[in-house]
Amino acid sequence: TVTGNDALLRFGEVDLAFDGRLYTPTEIAAPGEAAIAQRADNRRRLLVLDDARTAENPGSIAWLSAPLSADAPLRAGSTLVGVQGVLDQRWGAYRLQADAVVGEVRQAPRPGTPVVEGAIRIAGMNLLNLFNGDGQGGGFPTERGAKDHDGYARQMAKHVTVITALDPAIIAAQELENDGFGPESAVQELADALNAAQPGARWTPVASEGRIGSDQITVGILYRADRAEAVGAPALATEGPFEYGSRPVLAQSFRIGDSPVFTVASVHFKSKGGCEDAQGADRDQDDGQGCYNAKRVESAEAMHAWLATDPTGSGSDRVVAIGDYNAYAMEDPIRVLRERGWVDAPMATEDGHTPHSFVFDGQAGRLDHAMLSPSMAAMLRGAAKWPVNSDESIGFSYDGALGREAGPWRSSDHDPLLLGFDAAPAR
């Protein structure tokens, strides 16, 4: 089974696994001994298929009979039959240096748009550094994101395609450029692009004053004012772990039709990167959770306490805190929130396998969660993630060799989430 394809176009290699794809240990096992044992089992099952060449960016992949394409994308989850080559060991893994074309490639199909029930539809999306330059077509390259305006236009088009297909009323977004909320801001340009693509829609960003925090990226919330009513003013959690590390949490309350008021919080906790700067308890404890786990736990505790104060003044305890927690399902931050009564919305999958929203180092897991307060969980009708991104080769991204293809594929490195809720609480 193809379990990772990040290096496919650059090095002509792919991560394979015996007995099905690999999952990040802490997605399916508790941190510590269980996760370490799972990590060892993953290594035992892993085999890298290589092209027996050292050149980067080969014109063709020697062991594939046909080049990568929309019809043959070699998504993670695909299976190879009839693989042969010379076994060696280098770069920290066993490798099979192919000396023949693979006998059969069974392509994992690209999935259709998920369908969820419920009158209240909320999406969670990591937008992978959506930076729009100076907002006037120039200012590229930016600190992050697209290198030029053409790349940005392709990136935006992919996001618009995803959002239009999911058809939510509210979006909790992460990795937006932190450039305010004016007419030339990234979040306003996203709203404008959605309105242009959806006649009659009135996409509106939730605006706070100025920049949200000091990071180059920020969270955001957008809603269709033709479907949802914003109730009261937005609120920001900016203290403690949200001063530096985790991004401030943005919350806004809404009503849809005659529904009870509910609050949406957009979340982006500290990543597992930058371990060389980690100090004390934030260092990697070698329990499977990576570095800055302590910061993410502190962030979970602080967010829980902040949301319990009803920061938007809505008078409602119905809350969905959705976004990129940078923590897998069995890790401490998610465990802490579950222990405080939050429900990690179960994500349906087409194939019935363990759901995932991200693939790293050939291993799948969920960094993206929709945590529901008990009263909000009672309204849940369905939840799904749409694997348009994590299983795709990065060659299909907006700046990849195949990224000019129309469609939603590899619009980000995280998969979007979609939730549907009843307009009234369950009785």
Side-chain angles (χ1 to χ4, degrees):
T1 301
V2 175
T3 194
N5 53 21
D6 272 0
L8 182 58
L9 289 182
R10 184 177 179 187
F11 295 114
E13 67 184 47
V14 69
D15 293 334
L16 303 178
F18 296 95
D19 302 321
R21 70 186 303 161
L22 303 179
Y23 288 89
T24 301
T26 49
E27 179 64 32
I28 56 178
E33 291 184 5
I36 292 169
Q38 185 64 51
R39 181 171 63 193
D41 188 61
N42 283 0
R43 288 174 176 169
R44 179 185 64 83
R45 292 168 51 202
L46 176 67
L47 179 66
V48 179
L49 179 62
D50 208 341
D51 64 355
R53 298 189 231 176
T54 57
E56 293 189 25
N57 305 310
S60 62
I61 299 170
W63 48 267
L64 273 179
S65 59
L68 221 60
S69 68
D71 294 326
L74 201 66
R75 288 169 54 89
S78 301
T79 53
L80 307 185
V81 181
V83 181
Q84 72 175 52
V86 178
L87 185 69
D88 70 6
Q89 188 177 17
R90 68 181 75 190
W91 306 114
Y94 284 105
R95 292 169 178 264
L96 195 69
Q97 302 293 344
D99 61 7
V101 172
V102 171
E104 180 184 0
V105 178
R106 298 173 182 170
Q107 298 280 348
R110 284 178 160 174
T113 310
V115 176
V116 299
E117 301 296 327
I120 300 171
R121 296 167 63 86
I122 302 172
M125 299 181 65
N126 182 311
L127 300 177
L128 187 58
N129 299 315
L130 184 64
F131 279 53
N132 71 335
D134 59 11
Q136 301 176 18
F140 294 93
T142 59
E143 293 89 344
R144 304 190 186 190
K147 297 180 177 64
D148 53 40
H149 186 266
D150 287 346
Y152 164 70
R154 292 193 298 272
Q155 182 186 24
M156 179 67 82
K158 284 181 174 287
H159 288 317
V160 169
T161 299
V162 170
I163 294 166
T164 300
L166 292 175
D167 194 30
I170 301 166
I171 302 166
Q174 298 81 47
E175 294 200 18
L176 280 159
E177 182 178 6
N178 192 8
D179 61 348
F181 302 91
E184 295 170 352
S185 64
V187 69
Q188 185 60 57
E189 282 207 354
L190 174 58
D192 293 343
L194 288 169
N195 289 333
Q198 299 176 293
R202 289 193 289 124
W203 281 101
T204 305
V206 169
S208 66
E209 294 184 8
R211 286 164 54 97
I212 299 178
S214 58
D215 204 329
Q216 293 174 342
I217 56 173
T218 188
V219 301
I221 298 175
L222 300 92
Y223 66 100
R224 285 189 59 163
D226 56 308
R227 292 183 179 177
E229 174 192 356
V231 178
L236 276 172
T238 58
E239 298 180 354
F242 305 116
E243 292 182 68
Y244 179 78
S246 291
R247 285 78 183 177
V249 180
L250 175 64
Q252 173 68 58
S253 296
F254 295 95
R255 181 187 291 111
I256 290 183
D258 295 327
S259 79
V261 174
F262 59 92
T263 298
V264 175
S266 187
V267 181
H268 193 185
F269 286 177
K270 178 72 179 74
S271 76
K272 298 175 185 287
C275 293
E276 64 277 4
D277 296 324
Q279 300 294 322
D282 277 330
R283 290 178 177 170
D284 190 340
Q285 305 298 307
D286 197 30
D287 60 358
Q289 301 185 93
C291 58
Y292 293 106
N293 180 59
K295 175 72 74 174
R296 291 187 291 274
V297 170
E298 182 188 6
S299 302
E301 295 275 22
M303 184 185 75
H304 167 73
W306 180 70
L307 289 172
T309 68
D310 186 16
T312 62
S314 69
S316 173
D317 60 1
R318 298 175 179 88
V319 182
V320 52
I322 185 169
D324 180 0
Y325 285 77
N326 273 308
Y328 293 105
M330 299 296 284
E331 293 186 4
D332 293 339
I334 307 304
R335 174 186 56 78
V336 162
L337 289 170
R338 288 196 298 261
E339 290 175 352
R340 301 295 183 271
W342 293 85
V343 176
D344 190 359
M347 296 289 157
T349 60
E350 286 187 347
D351 56 15
H353 292 162
T354 301
H356 65 277
S357 65
F358 192 71
V359 175
F360 178 75
D361 200 21
Q363 301 172 113
R366 280 189 304 144
L367 292 179
D368 308 272
H369 304 264
M371 306 302 294
L372 312 179
S373 66
S375 54
M376 197 75 189
M379 298 168 61
L380 183 67
R381 292 292 307 278
K385 63 97 185 181
W386 192 17
V388 292
N389 298 326
S390 63
D391 288 341
E392 293 279 326
S393 162
I394 59 175
F396 291 102
S397 65
Y398 70 88
D399 57 353
L402 304 169
R404 297 178 186 275
E405 170 200 16
W409 314 110
R410 198 68 189 193
S411 56
S412 175
D413 52 349
H414 294 245
D415 292 323
L417 312 181
L418 181 66
L419 294 93
F421 298 90
D422 279 327
R427 291 180 170 82

